[in-house]
Amino acid sequence: MWLFLAFLAVPLIEIGLFIQIGGAIGLWPTLLIVVVTAIMGTVLVRAQGAQALGQVRSSFNEMRDPSEALAHGAMILFSGALLLTPGFFTDGVGFALLIPGVRLAVFKWARARINVQTFASHPQHRPQSDIIEGEYAQVDPNSNDQQGPSGWTKH
């Protein structure tokens, strides 16, 4: 039901804002604002998206919980979609999601309402080194010797 209301309300809000702003400043300035915000949004989303990807990689490398970095990345991606959608309301929400404090508040709000079950995996045996022991022998492919290393037989 909420999703239906959102799909109904957002276009109505956008149409109302286009009429109001277009009536106040004219058609061409209104369209110019829509195009400029899409371009600015694309630049900001690329920069912040790269930063979020770096934070996700860092959390994986340091074996930390990546949920906050992933949530920030998802919100940045969503803000990019909103900024590319023509409209003033969607641009406002999209630019708001590019503010780290707003994303953090949304993340905390969502985390308080979502129950995620986690588990920890602890390896039973961890090798002390990266050394793998083994035997080898150089074999001449042109040789007629049928005996290989450690006594195995070639066919």
Side-chain angles (χ1 to χ4, degrees):
M1 183 66 177
W2 289 106
L3 191 59
F4 172 73
L5 290 175
F7 277 110
L8 184 65
V10 170
L12 292 175
I13 292 169
E14 292 292 8
I15 291 169
L17 288 172
F18 269 117
I19 291 170
Q20 291 294 318
I21 294 171
I25 64 173
L27 173 65
W28 295 111
T30 303
L31 294 177
L32 181 65
I33 290 171
V34 170
V35 171
V36 168
T37 57
I39 293 169
M40 286 175 40
T42 302
V43 171
L44 290 170
V45 165
R46 283 186 76 176
Q48 289 195 13
Q51 184 181 17
L53 184 60
Q55 290 172 348
V56 169
R57 285 182 181 152
S58 172
S59 62
F60 280 131
N61 288 339
E62 296 170 6
M63 300 298 289
R64 288 184 289 118
D65 180 20
S67 61
E68 185 173 349
L70 287 170
H72 281 274
M75 285 186 269
I76 290 168
L77 182 66
F78 184 63
S79 73
L82 290 174
L83 289 167
L84 288 175
T85 303
F88 295 102
F89 178 72
T90 54
D91 285 349
V93 175
F95 279 121
L97 285 175
L98 289 178
I99 300 170
V102 172
R103 286 195 312 265
L104 185 61
V106 170
F107 175 72
K108 287 181 179 180
W109 176 84
R111 187 168 52 180
R113 284 157 182 74
I114 297 172
N115 182 19
V116 177
Q117 295 180 358
T118 61
F119 68 94
S121 174
H122 300 288
Q124 297 297 326
H125 173 70
R126 225 177 147 163
Q128 297 297 323
S129 69
D130 293 334
I131 298 174
I132 300 173
E133 294 186 28
E135 294 181 25
Y136 76 95
Q138 290 183 335
V139 178
D140 183 13
N142 298 327
S143 170
N144 290 333
D145 184 18
Q146 296 296 315
Q147 185 97 10
S150 301
W152 57 267
T153 306
K154 293 197 265 181
H155 295 325

